[in-house]
């Protein structure tokens, strides 16, 4: 299975996603500050992978804290968690993972420091392993929804590289292909960061899953030509009413899919569901550097000084979504009720 990140005694290893597909380079982050930088600069990206990276970064920082006693440790631990929380604002899995590490620390706070440090590492590793298991379950839950054969459009990268392994949207595609479905994936290139061209195309080719790369503005044409039977994407945050933030351009794909009568599916672990945010208007949208728009591969493609907007995500209103596939089950409209029902369900052990 394709690996995205690894815990080692010498730090956290990440496959450098800014260099793929032309270079397969691993980066070793030896401090929690380096892990935070790796998240900020998108060496590691994708909501579940960001959560796993943050948990490992916190465990690394906590392990290396030189604290005399628990109150000094608590201060240092708080600072590490704050730094992680400032890396990227939209993917709620980041905050979910930080809260989970904080809760674990509170449970352990009366224990000796060496034990706390070890148990925080164990918790980060548990988050990592659970993510892979979650993706496999999500794949099994979602595969029956995809057609027996035909074209499936995806946007951005919601694959192994965006998670601890296997992927969310690409996990569902993988499970469908493993079950014998004859699918052909159309990967939107996903400007400006090109996650579709650089990452989705790369990892599907590695798995021998048929994939055709298209530029973002070709999706409507492909749908009108009858080449797309389903759309499936991941999510960075799903509000309580089902409104879903995902990579910029997802909203346009959703409207095109509706116009052409094509079902649009979201695949995400339940940790991406944010029941504290009522609807999409409350989801913070990360604004990234104009340079991502004015340059491609380091080469300037726009006039110097041109005004640029670069929101990294948009929100697809729930009314455009056929179903939200999670490891706890599949939610359908009305999403307010179905997501609440899944929330009340105890996660499978
Ligand atoms: O900016 P990125 O590359 O971190 O954005 C990633 C996405 O939008 C993914 O589609 C989303 O995180 C789901 S990943 C399983």
């Amino acid at each position: 299975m394709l690996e995205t990140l690894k815990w080692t005694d010498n730090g956290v290893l990440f496959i450098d996603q800014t260099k793929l597909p032309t270079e397969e380079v691993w980066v070793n982050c030896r401090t929690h500050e380096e892990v935070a930088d790796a998240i900020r600069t998108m060496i590691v990206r994708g909501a579940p992978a960001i959560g796993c990276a943050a948990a490992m970064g916190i465990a690394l920082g906590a392990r290396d804290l030189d604290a005399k006693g628990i109150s000094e440790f608590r201060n240092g631990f708080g600072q590490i968690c704050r730094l992680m929380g400032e890396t990227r604002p939209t993917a709620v899995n980041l905050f979910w993972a930080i809260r989970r590490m904080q809760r674990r620390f509170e449970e352990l706070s009366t224990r000796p420091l060496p034990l706390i440090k070890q148990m925080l590492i164990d918790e980060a590793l548990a988050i990592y392993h659970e993510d892979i298991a979650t993706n496999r379950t999500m794949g099994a839950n979602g595969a029956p929804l995809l057609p027996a054969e035909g074209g499936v459009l995806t946007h951005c990268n919601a694959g192994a590289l965006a998670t601890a392994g296997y992927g969310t949207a690409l996990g569902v595609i993988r499970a469908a292909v493993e079950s014998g479905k004859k699918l052909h994936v159309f990967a939107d290139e996903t400007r400006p960061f090109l996650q579709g061209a650089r990452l989705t195309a790369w990892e599907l080719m590695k798995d021998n899953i048929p994939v055709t790369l298209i530029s973002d503005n070709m999706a409507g044409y492909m749908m009108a030509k009858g080449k797309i039977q389903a759309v499936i994407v991941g999510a960075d945050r799903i509000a309580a009413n089902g409104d879903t933030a995902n990579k910029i351009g997802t909203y346009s794909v959703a409207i095109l899919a509706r116009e052409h009568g094509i079902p649009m599916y979201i695949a995400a672990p339940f940790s991406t569901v944010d029941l504290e945010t009522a609807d999409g208007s409350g989801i913070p949208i990360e604004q990234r550097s104009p340079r991502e728009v004015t340059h491609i591969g380091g080469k300037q493609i726009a006039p110097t000084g041109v005004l640029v907007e670069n929101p990294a995500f948009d929100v697809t209103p729930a009314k455009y979504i056929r179903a939200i596939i999670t490891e706890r089950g599949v939610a359908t409209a009305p999403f307010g009720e179905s997501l609440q029902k899944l929330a009340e369900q105890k996660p499978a052990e």
Side-chain angles (χ1 to χ4, degrees), residues 4-6 12 14 17 35 39 43-57 87-88 90-98 100-101 123-136 138 155-171 203 233-238 244-247 266-273 313 325-327:
T4 306
L5 73 169
K6 284 188 244 194
V12 188
F14 297 105
Q17 299 196 33
V35 173
I39 297 173
I43 285 173
V44 59
R45 35 66 51 201
I50 291 171
C52 292
M56 288 187 185
T87 50
R88 297 194 68 191
T90 304
V92 77
N93 309 59
L94 170 70
F95 306 98
W96 171 87
I98 295 171
R100 183 159 155 181
M101 294 298 283
E123 190 69 7
L125 290 176
I127 289 175
Y128 170 87
H129 291 296
E130 283 168 27
D131 188 60
I132 298 171
T134 291
N135 292 336
R136 293 217 171 250
M138 217 185 301
H155 190 74
C156 193
N157 172 267
L161 289 167
T163 63
Y166 201 66
T168 57
L170 296 193
E203 70 165 86
V233 297
D236 288 83
R237 194 184 293 225
I238 300 170
T244 294
N246 190 50
K247 181 53 55 196
I266 306 289
F270 210 77
S271 52
T272 306
V273 178
F313 303 95
I325 301 155
T326 79
E327 76 279 21

